[in-house]
Amino acid sequence: MILGIGTDLANIDRIAGTLERFGDRFRNRVFTPVEQAKAERRADTPGTYAKRWAAKEACSKALGTGLRMGISWKDMAVSNIETGQPIMHVTGWAKERLDEMTPPGHEAVIHVTLTDDHPWAQAFVVIEARPLDDDDFEQPGLRPAH
């Protein structure tokens, strides 16, 4: 069952300007050390940050809160599994909200997809509730964000 859906579109040039203007202050406020390391290794650093920015916005929408109800930017973090597929991790208030949304007897799984085509970066997030006793959906590396 689908618990929430969110999407966001970010302008890569706007994120590049913010990185130039605020540098580490912006990076450290919004992105985890893992996200920063990933972005700094990429040829398109601003594009990588923009996709992760969009993912955080999309996740907050899928949680039904937006970013004004207590969720911190770093309560939502994007990393990648071995195949390169992005995954969303939630902690803090975002994790509490996810737990509230998840029906008894289910586990929450956050699906995220990222794309960019300069000057745009886009993310979609779908939060799914899966029955705990359903082994047919087991996928290595795609465990719920707990």
Side-chain angles (χ1 to χ4, degrees):
M1 122 185 31
I2 302 299
L3 299 179
I5 299 172
T7 185
D8 193 66
L9 187 65
N11 185 288
I12 295 169
D13 294 332
R14 181 173 166 249
I15 297 295
T18 302
L19 287 164
E20 277 183 37
R21 210 168 24 259
F22 300 105
D24 286 341
R25 186 170 151 218
F26 172 66
R27 281 183 199 87
N28 294 332
R29 179 174 169 252
V30 176
F31 302 100
T32 66
V34 170
E35 290 173 311
Q36 290 181 45
K38 173 79 171 184
E40 297 300 326
R41 285 193 310 266
R42 303 296 296 240
D44 182 14
T45 300
T48 302
Y49 279 120
K51 285 186 283 189
R52 279 151 176 73
W53 171 279
K56 291 167 187 271
E57 288 274 7
C59 185
S60 72
K61 293 171 186 175
L63 289 167
T65 63
L67 282 159
R68 57 184 113 98
M69 292 182 66
I71 293 179
S72 163
W73 285 104
K74 292 197 283 187
D75 283 350
M76 301 165 289
V78 178
S79 65
N80 300 83
I81 61 174
E82 292 173 8
T83 62
Q85 179 180 350
I87 57 174
M88 178 68 69
H89 305 275
V90 293
T91 58
W93 199 88
K95 172 71 169 85
E96 291 174 22
R97 173 68 181 142
L98 182 65
D99 291 344
E100 272 178 24
M101 295 171 61
T102 306
H106 290 74
E107 62 183 0
V109 180
I110 302 174
H111 304 275
V112 61
T113 186
L114 309 173
T115 191
D116 64 295
D117 187 7
H118 197 88
W120 301 107
Q122 186 172 33
F124 287 94
V125 170
V126 175
I127 301 174
E128 173 189 12
R130 289 186 185 162
L132 287 172
D133 59 344
D134 194 345
D135 292 332
D136 295 336
F137 292 111
E138 291 290 323
Q139 295 181 22
L142 296 179
R143 299 310 309 146
H146 291 285

